[in-house]
Amino acid sequence: MVKLGIERKELWLDKLKGKRVGLLTNPTGVDSNLNSSIDILYKEVNLVKLFSPEHGIRGDIQAGEKVADYVDEKTGLPVCTLYGDKKIPTEEMLSDIDVF
């Protein structure tokens, strides 16, 4: 049986304790029960910022649609869009996180 990385938190979660965490993810970032990695980590670490490729972090943005940075409605976290003109995080986007 394949075990997803988010389901093997015991191997790496302690490395995130006390750190400001940024997460690059998309709608496929889930556990085997389809719980979002965002929602799982939000409860266990200091998740401070999300980074999103095309379609947004929750899959609610149409393909090819240009999207400005926004706030995730479920967590209230800022989401930096890495699609369109920005394909990699800028130094400014990373300035308030310790682990990406």
Side-chain angles (χ1 to χ4, degrees):
M1 174 181 230
V2 173
K3 200 167 186 185
L4 302 170
I6 194 68
E7 296 173 324
R8 302 192 67 196
K9 296 179 296 189
E10 71 279 358
L11 299 176
W12 49 263
L13 193 62
D14 62 323
K15 292 175 176 52
L16 302 180
K17 297 291 183 189
K19 306 262 195 251
R20 297 170 299 167
V21 179
L23 177 66
L24 171 64
T25 192
N26 68 19
T28 65
V30 296
D31 68 9
S32 58
N33 293 313
L34 303 180
N35 297 304
S36 170
S37 297
I38 299 164
D39 302 332
I40 294 167
L41 289 176
Y42 186 71
K43 295 174 187 172
E44 300 199 33
V45 300
N46 185 20
L47 191 59
V48 297
K49 192 177 288 182
L50 304 169
F51 295 83
S52 169
E54 187 179 15
H55 304 296
I57 56 167
R58 305 247 181 220
D60 53 352
I61 298 171
Q62 294 298 315
E65 186 177 331
K66 294 232 179 199
V67 177
D69 295 347
Y70 61 100
V71 173
D72 176 43
E73 290 182 15
K74 190 165 184 183
T75 62
L77 293 174
V79 180
C80 296
T81 302
L82 299 179
Y83 181 70
D85 297 338
K86 301 179 282 183
K87 300 236 188 305
I88 60 172
T90 65
E91 286 187 34
E92 183 180 341
M93 289 176 185
L94 299 172
S95 67
D96 58 348
I97 64 173
D98 301 314
V99 178
F100 182 60

Coordinates of all heavy atoms in Angstrom, one line a residue:
M1 N 0.8 -1.2 0.0 CA 0.0 0.0 0.0 C 0.9 1.2 0.0 O 1.9 1.3 0.7 CB -0.9 0.0 1.2 CG -1.7 1.3 1.4 SD -2.8 1.2 2.8 CE -4.3 1.7 2.1
V2 N 0.5 2.2 -0.8 CA 1.2 3.5 -0.9 C 0.7 4.4 0.3 O -0.5 4.5 0.5 CB 1.0 4.1 -2.2 CG1 1.6 5.5 -2.2 CG2 1.6 3.3 -3.3
K3 N 1.6 5.0 0.9 CA 1.3 6.0 2.0 C 1.8 7.3 1.5 O 3.0 7.5 1.2 CB 1.9 5.5 3.3 CG 1.3 6.1 4.5 CD 1.7 5.4 5.8 CE 0.9 6.0 6.9 NZ 1.4 5.4 8.2
L4 N 0.9 8.3 1.5 CA 1.2 9.6 1.0 C 2.0 10.4 2.1 O 1.9 10.1 3.3 CB -0.1 10.4 0.8 CG -1.0 9.8 -0.3 CD1 -2.4 10.5 -0.3 CD2 -0.4 9.8 -1.6
G5 N 2.9 11.3 1.6 CA 3.8 12.1 2.5 C 3.0 12.8 3.6 O 3.5 12.8 4.7
I6 N 1.9 13.3 3.3 CA 1.1 14.0 4.4 C 0.6 13.0 5.5 O 0.4 13.4 6.6 CB -0.1 14.8 3.8 CG1 -0.7 15.8 4.8 CG2 -1.2 13.9 3.2 CD1 0.2 16.9 5.1
E7 N 0.6 11.7 5.1 CA 0.2 10.7 6.1 C 1.4 10.1 6.8 O 1.2 9.2 7.7 CB -0.6 9.6 5.4 CG -1.9 10.1 4.8 CD -2.6 9.1 3.9 OE1 -2.0 8.3 3.2 OE2 -3.9 9.2 3.9
R8 N 2.6 10.7 6.5 CA 3.8 10.2 7.2 C 4.4 11.4 8.0 O 5.6 11.5 8.1 CB 4.8 9.7 6.2 CG 4.2 8.5 5.4 CD 5.1 7.8 4.6 NE 6.0 7.1 5.6 CZ 7.2 6.5 5.2 NH1 7.6 6.6 4.0 NH2 7.9 5.9 6.1
K9 N 3.5 12.2 8.6 CA 3.9 13.4 9.3 C 4.9 13.1 10.4 O 5.8 13.9 10.7 CB 2.7 14.1 9.8 CG 1.8 14.7 8.8 CD 0.6 15.3 9.5 CE -0.2 14.3 10.3 NZ -1.4 14.8 10.8
E10 N 4.8 11.9 11.0 CA 5.7 11.6 12.1 C 7.1 11.6 11.8 O 8.0 11.8 12.6 CB 5.3 10.2 12.7 CG 5.7 9.0 11.9 CD 4.7 8.7 10.7 OE1 3.6 9.4 10.6 OE2 4.9 7.8 10.0
L11 N 7.4 11.6 10.5 CA 8.8 11.6 10.0 C 9.4 13.0 9.8 O 10.6 13.2 9.8 CB 8.9 10.9 8.7 CG 8.5 9.4 8.7 CD1 8.6 8.8 7.2 CD2 9.4 8.6 9.6
W12 N 8.5 14.0 9.7 CA 9.0 15.3 9.4 C 8.3 16.5 10.2 O 8.8 17.6 10.2 CB 9.0 15.6 7.9 CG 7.6 15.3 7.3 CD1 7.3 14.1 6.6 CD2 6.5 16.1 7.2 NE1 6.0 14.2 6.2 CE2 5.5 15.4 6.5 CE3 6.2 17.4 7.7 CZ2 4.2 15.9 6.3 CZ3 4.9 17.9 7.5 CH2 3.9 17.2 6.8
L13 N 7.2 16.2 10.8 CA 6.5 17.3 11.4 C 7.3 18.1 12.5 O 7.1 19.3 12.6 CB 5.2 16.7 12.0 CG 4.1 17.8 12.4 CD1 3.6 18.6 11.2 CD2 3.0 17.1 13.1
D14 N 8.1 17.4 13.2 CA 8.9 18.1 14.3 C 9.8 19.1 13.7 O 10.2 20.1 14.4 CB 9.6 17.0 15.1 CG 10.6 16.2 14.4 OD1 10.3 15.9 13.2 OD2 11.7 15.9 14.9
K15 N 10.2 19.0 12.5 CA 11.1 19.9 11.9 C 10.4 21.3 11.6 O 11.1 22.3 11.3 CB 11.7 19.4 10.6 CG 12.7 18.2 10.8 CD 13.1 17.6 9.5 CE 14.1 16.5 9.7 NZ 13.8 15.4 10.6
L16 N 9.1 21.2 11.6 CA 8.3 22.4 11.3 C 7.9 23.2 12.5 O 7.4 24.3 12.5 CB 7.1 22.1 10.4 CG 7.4 21.4 9.1 CD1 6.0 21.2 8.4 CD2 8.3 22.2 8.2
K17 N 8.0 22.5 13.7 CA 7.5 23.2 14.9 C 8.3 24.4 15.2 O 9.6 24.4 15.1 CB 7.7 22.2 16.1 CG 6.8 20.9 16.0 CD 5.4 21.2 16.1 CE 4.6 20.0 16.0 NZ 3.1 20.2 16.0
G18 N 7.6 25.5 15.6 CA 8.3 26.7 15.9 C 8.7 27.5 14.7 O 9.3 28.6 14.8
K19 N 8.4 27.1 13.5 CA 8.8 27.8 12.2 C 7.5 28.4 11.6 O 6.4 27.9 11.7 CB 9.4 26.8 11.2 CG 10.6 26.0 11.8 CD 11.9 26.6 11.4 CE 13.0 25.7 11.6 NZ 13.9 25.9 12.6
R20 N 7.7 29.4 10.8 CA 6.7 30.0 10.0 C 6.8 29.3 8.6 O 7.8 29.4 8.0 CB 6.9 31.5 9.8 CG 6.8 32.3 11.1 CD 7.3 33.7 11.0 NE 8.7 33.7 10.5 CZ 9.4 34.7 10.1 NH1 8.8 35.9 10.0 NH2 10.6 34.6 9.7
V21 N 5.7 28.6 8.3 CA 5.7 27.7 7.2 C 4.9 28.2 6.0 O 3.8 28.7 6.2 CB 5.1 26.3 7.6 CG1 5.0 25.3 6.4 CG2 5.8 25.7 8.8
G22 N 5.5 28.1 4.8 CA 4.8 28.4 3.6 C 4.6 27.1 2.8 O 5.5 26.2 2.8
L23 N 3.5 26.9 2.2 CA 3.2 25.7 1.5 C 2.8 25.9 0.0 O 1.9 26.7 -0.2 CB 2.0 25.0 2.2 CG 1.5 23.7 1.6 CD1 2.5 22.6 1.7 CD2 0.2 23.3 2.3
L24 N 3.5 25.3 -0.9 CA 3.1 25.3 -2.3 C 2.3 24.1 -2.5 O 2.7 22.9 -2.3 CB 4.4 25.2 -3.2 CG 4.1 25.0 -4.7 CD1 3.4 26.2 -5.3 CD2 5.4 24.8 -5.4
T25 N 1.0 24.3 -3.0 CA 0.1 23.1 -3.2 C -0.9 23.4 -4.2 O -1.0 24.6 -4.7 CB -0.6 22.7 -1.8 OG1 -1.2 21.5 -2.0 CG2 -1.5 23.8 -1.3
N26 N -1.7 22.4 -4.5 CA -2.8 22.6 -5.4 C -3.9 21.6 -5.0 O -3.8 21.0 -3.9 CB -2.4 22.4 -6.9 CG -2.0 20.9 -7.2 OD1 -2.3 20.0 -6.5 ND2 -1.3 20.8 -8.3
P27 N -5.0 21.5 -5.7 CA -6.1 20.7 -5.2 C -5.8 19.2 -5.1 O -6.5 18.4 -4.4 CB -7.2 20.8 -6.3 CG -6.9 22.1 -6.9 CD -5.4 22.3 -6.9
T28 N -4.7 18.7 -5.7 CA -4.3 17.3 -5.5 C -3.5 17.1 -4.2 O -3.2 15.9 -3.9 CB -3.5 16.8 -6.7 OG1 -2.2 17.5 -6.7 CG2 -4.2 17.0 -8.0
G29 N -3.2 18.1 -3.5 CA -2.5 18.0 -2.2 C -3.5 17.5 -1.1 O -4.0 18.3 -0.3
V30 N -3.7 16.2 -1.1 CA -4.7 15.6 -0.1 C -4.1 14.3 0.5 O -3.1 13.8 0.0 CB -6.0 15.3 -0.8 CG1 -6.7 16.6 -1.3 CG2 -5.8 14.3 -2.0
D31 N -4.8 13.9 1.5 CA -4.5 12.6 2.1 C -5.4 11.5 1.4 O -6.2 11.9 0.5 CB -4.6 12.6 3.6 CG -6.0 12.7 4.2 OD1 -7.0 12.7 3.4 OD2 -6.1 12.9 5.4
S32 N -5.3 10.3 1.9 CA -6.0 9.2 1.2 C -7.6 9.3 1.4 O -8.3 8.7 0.7 CB -5.5 7.8 1.6 OG -5.6 7.7 3.0
N33 N -8.0 10.2 2.3 CA -9.4 10.5 2.6 C -9.8 11.8 1.9 O -10.9 12.3 2.2 CB -9.7 10.5 4.1 CG -9.5 9.1 4.7 OD1 -10.0 8.1 4.2 ND2 -8.8 9.1 5.8
L34 N -9.0 12.3 1.1 CA -9.2 13.6 0.3 C -9.3 14.8 1.2 O -9.9 15.8 0.8 CB -10.4 13.5 -0.6 CG -10.4 12.3 -1.6 CD1 -11.7 12.3 -2.4 CD2 -9.2 12.4 -2.5
N35 N -8.7 14.7 2.4 CA -8.5 15.9 3.2 C -7.4 16.8 2.7 O -6.3 16.2 2.5 CB -8.3 15.5 4.7 CG -9.4 14.7 5.3 OD1 -10.6 15.2 5.3 ND2 -9.1 13.5 5.8
S36 N -7.6 18.0 2.6 CA -6.6 18.9 2.0 C -5.3 19.0 2.9 O -5.4 19.1 4.2 CB -7.1 20.3 1.9 OG -6.1 21.3 1.6
S37 N -4.2 19.0 2.3 CA -2.9 19.1 3.1 C -2.9 20.5 3.8 O -2.3 20.6 4.9 CB -1.7 19.0 2.1 OG -1.6 17.8 1.6
I38 N -3.5 21.5 3.2 CA -3.6 22.8 3.8 C -4.3 22.7 5.2 O -3.8 23.1 6.2 CB -4.4 23.8 2.9 CG1 -3.7 24.0 1.6 CG2 -4.6 25.1 3.6 CD1 -4.6 24.6 0.5
D39 N -5.5 22.1 5.1 CA -6.3 22.0 6.4 C -5.6 21.1 7.4 O -5.7 21.4 8.6 CB -7.7 21.4 6.0 CG -8.4 22.3 5.0 OD1 -8.1 23.5 4.9 OD2 -9.2 21.8 4.2
I40 N -4.9 20.1 7.0 CA -4.2 19.2 7.9 C -3.1 20.0 8.6 O -2.9 20.0 9.8 CB -3.7 18.0 7.2 CG1 -4.8 17.1 6.7 CG2 -2.7 17.2 8.1 CD1 -4.4 16.0 5.8
L41 N -2.2 20.6 7.8 CA -1.1 21.4 8.3 C -1.5 22.6 9.1 O -0.8 22.9 10.1 CB -0.1 21.7 7.2 CG 0.6 20.6 6.6 CD1 1.5 21.1 5.4 CD2 1.5 19.9 7.6
Y42 N -2.6 23.2 8.7 CA -3.1 24.4 9.4 C -3.3 24.2 10.9 O -3.1 25.0 11.7 CB -4.3 25.0 8.7 CG -4.8 26.3 9.2 CD1 -4.1 27.5 9.0 CD2 -6.0 26.4 10.0 CE1 -4.6 28.7 9.5 CE2 -6.5 27.6 10.4 CZ -5.7 28.7 10.2 OH -6.2 29.9 10.7
K43 N -3.8 23.0 11.2 CA -4.1 22.6 12.6 C -2.8 22.2 13.4 O -2.9 22.2 14.6 CB -5.0 21.4 12.6 CG -6.4 21.7 12.0 CD -7.2 20.4 11.9 CE -8.5 20.7 11.2 NZ -9.2 19.5 10.9
E44 N -1.7 21.9 12.7 CA -0.6 21.3 13.4 C 0.7 22.2 13.4 O 1.6 21.9 14.2 CB -0.3 19.9 12.8 CG -1.5 19.0 12.9 CD -1.1 17.6 12.8 OE1 0.0 17.2 13.2 OE2 -1.9 16.8 12.3
V45 N 0.8 23.1 12.5 CA 2.0 23.9 12.4 C 1.6 25.4 12.2 O 0.5 25.7 12.0 CB 3.0 23.5 11.3 CG1 3.4 22.1 11.5 CG2 2.4 23.7 9.9
N46 N 2.6 26.3 12.3 CA 2.3 27.7 12.1 C 2.4 28.0 10.6 O 3.3 28.6 10.0 CB 3.4 28.5 12.8 CG 3.1 30.0 12.7 OD1 2.0 30.4 12.4 ND2 4.1 30.8 12.9
L47 N 1.3 27.5 9.9 CA 1.2 27.8 8.4 C 0.8 29.2 8.2 O -0.2 29.7 8.7 CB 0.1 26.8 7.9 CG 0.0 26.7 6.4 CD1 1.3 26.2 5.7 CD2 -1.1 25.7 6.0
V48 N 1.7 30.0 7.6 CA 1.4 31.4 7.5 C 1.2 31.9 6.0 O 0.6 33.0 5.9 CB 2.6 32.3 8.0 CG1 2.8 32.0 9.5 CG2 3.9 32.0 7.3
K49 N 1.5 31.1 5.0 CA 1.3 31.6 3.7 C 1.2 30.4 2.7 O 1.9 29.4 2.9 CB 2.4 32.5 3.2 CG 2.2 33.2 1.9 CD 3.3 34.1 1.5 CE 3.4 35.3 2.5 NZ 4.4 36.3 2.1
L50 N 0.3 30.5 1.7 CA 0.1 29.5 0.7 C 0.6 30.0 -0.6 O 0.5 31.2 -0.9 CB -1.4 29.1 0.7 CG -1.9 28.6 2.0 CD1 -3.5 28.5 1.9 CD2 -1.3 27.3 2.4
F51 N 1.1 29.1 -1.4 CA 1.5 29.4 -2.8 C 0.8 28.5 -3.8 O 0.7 27.3 -3.5 CB 3.0 29.2 -2.9 CG 3.8 30.1 -2.0 CD1 4.0 29.8 -0.7 CD2 4.4 31.3 -2.6 CE1 4.7 30.7 0.1 CE2 5.1 32.2 -1.8 CZ 5.3 31.9 -0.4
S52 N 0.3 29.1 -4.8 CA -0.6 28.4 -5.7 C -0.2 28.4 -7.2 O 0.0 29.5 -7.7 CB -2.0 29.0 -5.6 OG -2.9 28.5 -6.6
P53 N -0.2 27.3 -7.8 CA 0.0 27.3 -9.3 C -1.4 27.5 -10.0 O -2.3 27.9 -9.3 CB 0.5 25.9 -9.6 CG -0.1 25.0 -8.5 CD -0.2 25.9 -7.3
E54 N -1.5 27.2 -11.2 CA -2.8 27.3 -11.9 C -3.9 26.6 -11.2 O -3.7 25.6 -10.6 CB -2.6 26.8 -13.4 CG -3.8 27.0 -14.2 CD -3.6 26.5 -15.7 OE1 -2.7 25.6 -15.9 OE2 -4.4 26.8 -16.5
H55 N -5.1 27.1 -11.3 CA -6.3 26.6 -10.7 C -6.5 27.0 -9.3 O -7.5 26.6 -8.7 CB -6.5 25.1 -10.9 CG -6.4 24.6 -12.3 ND1 -7.3 25.0 -13.3 CD2 -5.5 23.9 -13.0 CE1 -7.0 24.4 -14.4 NE2 -5.9 23.8 -14.3
G56 N -5.6 27.6 -8.6 CA -5.7 28.0 -7.2 C -5.5 26.8 -6.3 O -5.4 25.7 -6.7
I57 N -5.4 27.1 -5.0 CA -5.1 26.0 -4.0 C -6.3 25.1 -3.8 O -6.1 23.9 -3.4 CB -4.6 26.6 -2.7 CG1 -5.7 27.6 -2.2 CG2 -3.3 27.3 -2.8 CD1 -5.5 28.0 -0.7
R58 N -7.5 25.5 -4.1 CA -8.7 24.7 -3.9 C -9.3 24.2 -5.2 O -10.4 23.6 -5.1 CB -9.7 25.4 -3.0 CG -9.1 25.9 -1.7 CD -9.6 25.2 -0.5 NE -9.0 25.8 0.7 CZ -8.7 25.0 1.7 NH1 -8.9 23.7 1.7 NH2 -8.2 25.5 2.8
G59 N -8.7 24.6 -6.3 CA -9.2 24.1 -7.6 C -10.4 24.9 -8.1 O -11.2 24.4 -9.0
D60 N -10.6 26.1 -7.6 CA -11.8 26.8 -8.0 C -11.6 27.9 -9.0 O -12.4 28.8 -9.2 CB -12.5 27.4 -6.7 CG -11.5 28.2 -5.9 OD1 -10.3 28.2 -6.2 OD2 -11.9 28.9 -4.9
I61 N -10.4 27.9 -9.6 CA -10.0 28.9 -10.6 C -9.9 28.2 -12.0 O -9.3 27.1 -12.1 CB -8.7 29.6 -10.2 CG1 -9.0 30.3 -8.9 CG2 -8.3 30.6 -11.3 CD1 -7.7 30.9 -8.3
Q62 N -10.6 28.7 -13.0 CA -10.6 28.1 -14.3 C -9.2 28.1 -14.9 O -8.4 29.0 -14.7 CB -11.6 28.9 -15.2 CG -13.0 28.8 -14.8 CD -13.5 27.3 -14.8 OE1 -13.3 26.6 -15.8 NE2 -14.2 26.9 -13.8
A63 N -8.9 27.1 -15.8 CA -7.7 27.0 -16.5 C -7.4 28.3 -17.3 O -8.3 28.8 -17.9 CB -7.7 25.8 -17.4
G64 N -6.2 28.8 -17.2 CA -5.8 29.9 -18.0 C -6.2 31.3 -17.4 O -5.8 32.3 -17.8
E65 N -7.0 31.3 -16.4 CA -7.5 32.5 -15.8 C -6.4 33.2 -15.0 O -5.7 32.6 -14.2 CB -8.7 32.2 -14.8 CG -9.4 33.4 -14.3 CD -10.6 33.1 -13.4 OE1 -11.2 32.0 -13.7 OE2 -10.9 33.8 -12.5
K66 N -6.2 34.5 -15.2 CA -5.2 35.2 -14.5 C -5.8 35.6 -13.1 O -6.9 36.1 -13.0 CB -4.8 36.5 -15.2 CG -4.1 36.2 -16.5 CD -2.9 37.0 -16.6 CE -2.2 36.6 -17.9 NZ -0.8 36.9 -17.9
V67 N -5.1 35.4 -12.1 CA -5.6 35.6 -10.7 C -4.5 36.4 -9.9 O -3.3 36.0 -9.9 CB -5.8 34.3 -10.0 CG1 -6.3 34.5 -8.6 CG2 -6.9 33.5 -10.8
A68 N -4.9 37.4 -9.3 CA -4.0 38.1 -8.4 C -3.9 37.4 -7.1 O -4.7 36.4 -6.8 CB -4.6 39.5 -8.1
D69 N -3.0 37.7 -6.2 CA -2.9 37.1 -4.9 C -4.2 37.3 -4.2 O -4.9 38.3 -4.4 CB -1.7 37.8 -4.1 CG -0.4 37.5 -4.8 OD1 -0.2 36.6 -5.6 OD2 0.6 38.2 -4.4
Y70 N -4.5 36.4 -3.3 CA -5.8 36.5 -2.6 C -5.7 35.8 -1.3 O -4.6 35.4 -0.8 CB -6.9 35.8 -3.5 CG -6.7 34.3 -3.8 CD1 -7.4 33.3 -3.1 CD2 -5.8 33.9 -4.8 CE1 -7.2 32.0 -3.3 CE2 -5.7 32.5 -5.1 CZ -6.3 31.6 -4.3 OH -6.1 30.3 -4.6
V71 N -6.8 35.8 -0.6 CA -6.9 35.1 0.8 C -7.7 33.9 0.7 O -8.8 33.9 0.1 CB -7.5 36.1 1.8 CG1 -7.7 35.5 3.2 CG2 -6.6 37.4 1.9
D72 N -7.2 32.8 1.2 CA -8.0 31.5 1.3 C -9.2 31.7 2.2 O -9.0 32.1 3.4 CB -7.1 30.4 1.8 CG -7.8 29.1 1.9 OD1 -8.6 28.7 1.1 OD2 -7.5 28.4 2.9
E73 N -10.4 31.5 1.7 CA -11.5 31.7 2.6 C -11.6 30.8 3.8 O -12.1 31.2 4.8 CB -12.8 31.6 1.7 CG -13.0 32.7 0.7 CD -14.2 32.6 -0.1 OE1 -15.1 31.8 0.3 OE2 -14.4 33.3 -1.1
K74 N -11.1 29.6 3.6 CA -11.3 28.6 4.7 C -10.3 28.9 5.9 O -10.7 28.8 7.0 CB -11.0 27.2 4.2 CG -11.4 26.1 5.2 CD -11.5 24.8 4.5 CE -11.9 23.7 5.5 NZ -12.0 22.4 5.0
T75 N -9.1 29.3 5.6 CA -8.1 29.5 6.6 C -7.8 31.0 6.9 O -7.2 31.3 8.0 CB -6.7 28.8 6.3 OG1 -6.2 29.5 5.1 CG2 -6.9 27.3 6.0
G76 N -8.1 31.8 6.0 CA -7.8 33.2 6.1 C -6.3 33.5 5.8 O -5.8 34.7 6.0
L77 N -5.6 32.5 5.3 CA -4.2 32.7 4.9 C -4.0 33.4 3.6 O -4.8 33.2 2.7 CB -3.5 31.4 4.9 CG -3.3 30.6 6.2 CD1 -2.7 29.2 6.0 CD2 -2.5 31.4 7.2
P78 N -3.0 34.2 3.4 CA -2.7 34.8 2.1 C -2.2 33.7 1.1 O -1.5 32.8 1.5 CB -1.5 35.8 2.4 CG -0.9 35.4 3.7 CD -2.0 34.6 4.5
V79 N -2.6 33.9 -0.1 CA -2.3 33.0 -1.2 C -1.5 33.8 -2.2 O -2.0 34.7 -2.8 CB -3.5 32.3 -1.8 CG1 -3.0 31.4 -2.9 CG2 -4.3 31.5 -0.8
C80 N -0.3 33.4 -2.5 CA 0.5 34.0 -3.5 C 0.4 33.2 -4.8 O 0.7 31.9 -4.8 CB 2.0 34.1 -3.1 SG 2.3 35.1 -1.7
T81 N -0.1 33.8 -5.9 CA -0.3 33.1 -7.1 C 1.0 32.9 -7.9 O 1.7 33.9 -8.1 CB -1.3 33.8 -8.0 OG1 -2.5 33.9 -7.2 CG2 -1.6 33.1 -9.2
L82 N 1.4 31.7 -8.2 CA 2.6 31.4 -9.0 C 2.1 30.9 -10.4 O 2.4 29.8 -10.8 CB 3.5 30.4 -8.3 CG 4.0 30.8 -6.9 CD1 4.8 29.7 -6.3 CD2 4.8 32.1 -7.0
Y83 N 1.4 31.8 -11.1 CA 0.9 31.4 -12.4 C 0.9 32.8 -13.2 O 0.6 33.8 -12.6 CB -0.5 30.8 -12.3 CG -1.0 30.4 -13.7 CD1 -0.5 29.4 -14.4 CD2 -2.1 31.1 -14.2 CE1 -0.9 29.0 -15.6 CE2 -2.6 30.8 -15.5 CZ -2.0 29.7 -16.2 OH -2.5 29.4 -17.4
G84 N 1.1 32.7 -14.5 CA 1.1 33.9 -15.3 C 2.4 34.6 -15.2 O 3.4 33.9 -15.5
D85 N 2.5 35.8 -14.8 CA 3.8 36.5 -14.8 C 4.8 36.0 -13.8 O 5.9 36.2 -13.9 CB 3.5 38.0 -14.6 CG 2.7 38.6 -15.7 OD1 2.7 38.1 -16.8 OD2 2.0 39.7 -15.5
K86 N 4.2 35.6 -12.6 CA 5.1 35.1 -11.5 C 5.1 33.6 -11.5 O 4.1 33.0 -11.2 CB 4.6 35.6 -10.2 CG 4.5 37.1 -10.1 CD 4.0 37.5 -8.7 CE 2.5 37.3 -8.7 NZ 1.8 37.7 -7.5
K87 N 6.2 32.9 -11.8 CA 6.2 31.5 -11.8 C 7.0 30.9 -10.6 O 7.0 29.8 -10.3 CB 6.8 30.9 -13.1 CG 6.0 31.4 -14.3 CD 5.6 30.2 -15.1 CE 4.9 30.5 -16.4 NZ 3.8 31.3 -16.4
I88 N 7.8 31.8 -10.0 CA 8.6 31.4 -8.8 C 8.4 32.5 -7.8 O 8.1 33.6 -8.1 CB 10.1 31.2 -9.1 CG1 10.7 32.5 -9.7 CG2 10.3 30.1 -10.1 CD1 12.2 32.5 -9.8
P89 N 8.4 32.1 -6.5 CA 8.3 33.1 -5.4 C 9.3 34.1 -5.4 O 10.5 33.8 -5.7 CB 8.4 32.2 -4.1 CG 8.3 30.8 -4.5 CD 8.7 30.7 -6.0
T90 N 9.0 35.4 -5.2 CA 9.9 36.5 -5.0 C 10.5 36.5 -3.6 O 9.9 35.8 -2.7 CB 9.2 37.8 -5.3 OG1 8.3 38.0 -4.3 CG2 8.6 37.8 -6.7
E91 N 11.6 37.2 -3.4 CA 12.2 37.3 -2.1 C 11.2 37.9 -1.1 O 11.1 37.6 0.0 CB 13.4 38.2 -2.2 CG 14.6 37.5 -2.8 CD 15.9 38.3 -2.7 OE1 16.1 39.0 -1.7 OE2 16.7 38.1 -3.6
E92 N 10.4 38.9 -1.6 CA 9.3 39.5 -0.8 C 8.3 38.5 -0.3 O 7.9 38.5 0.8 CB 8.7 40.6 -1.5 CG 7.6 41.4 -0.7 CD 6.9 42.5 -1.5 OE1 7.5 42.9 -2.5 OE2 5.9 42.9 -1.1
M93 N 7.9 37.6 -1.2 CA 6.9 36.6 -0.8 C 7.4 35.7 0.2 O 6.7 35.2 1.1 CB 6.5 35.7 -2.1 CG 5.7 36.4 -3.1 SD 5.5 35.2 -4.5 CE 4.7 36.3 -5.7
L94 N 8.7 35.4 0.2 CA 9.4 34.5 1.1 C 9.9 35.1 2.4 O 10.3 34.4 3.3 CB 10.5 33.8 0.4 CG 10.2 32.9 -0.8 CD1 11.4 32.4 -1.5 CD2 9.3 31.8 -0.4
S95 N 9.8 36.4 2.5 CA 10.4 37.2 3.6 C 9.9 36.9 5.0 O 10.6 37.0 6.0 CB 10.4 38.7 3.3 OG 9.0 39.1 3.4
D96 N 8.6 36.4 5.0 CA 8.0 36.2 6.3 C 7.8 34.7 6.6 O 7.0 34.4 7.5 CB 6.7 37.0 6.5 CG 5.7 36.6 5.4 OD1 6.0 35.9 4.4 OD2 4.5 37.0 5.6
I97 N 8.5 33.9 5.9 CA 8.4 32.4 6.2 C 9.8 31.9 6.5 O 10.8 32.4 6.0 CB 7.7 31.6 5.1 CG1 8.5 31.7 3.8 CG2 6.3 32.1 4.9 CD1 7.9 30.8 2.8
D98 N 9.9 30.8 7.3 CA 11.2 30.2 7.6 C 11.4 28.9 6.8 O 12.5 28.6 6.5 CB 11.2 29.8 9.1 CG 11.0 31.0 10.0 OD1 11.7 32.0 9.8 OD2 10.2 30.9 11.0
V99 N 10.3 28.2 6.5 CA 10.4 27.0 5.8 C 9.4 27.0 4.6 O 8.2 27.4 4.8 CB 10.0 25.8 6.7 CG1 10.0 24.5 6.0 CG2 11.0 25.7 7.9
F100 N 9.8 26.6 3.5 CA 8.9 26.6 2.3 C 8.8 25.2 1.8 O 9.8 24.5 1.6 CB 9.5 27.5 1.2 CG 8.7 27.6 -0.1 CD1 7.4 28.1 0.0 CD2 9.3 27.2 -1.3 CE1 6.7 28.2 -1.2 CE2 8.5 27.3 -2.4 CZ 7.3 27.8 -2.4

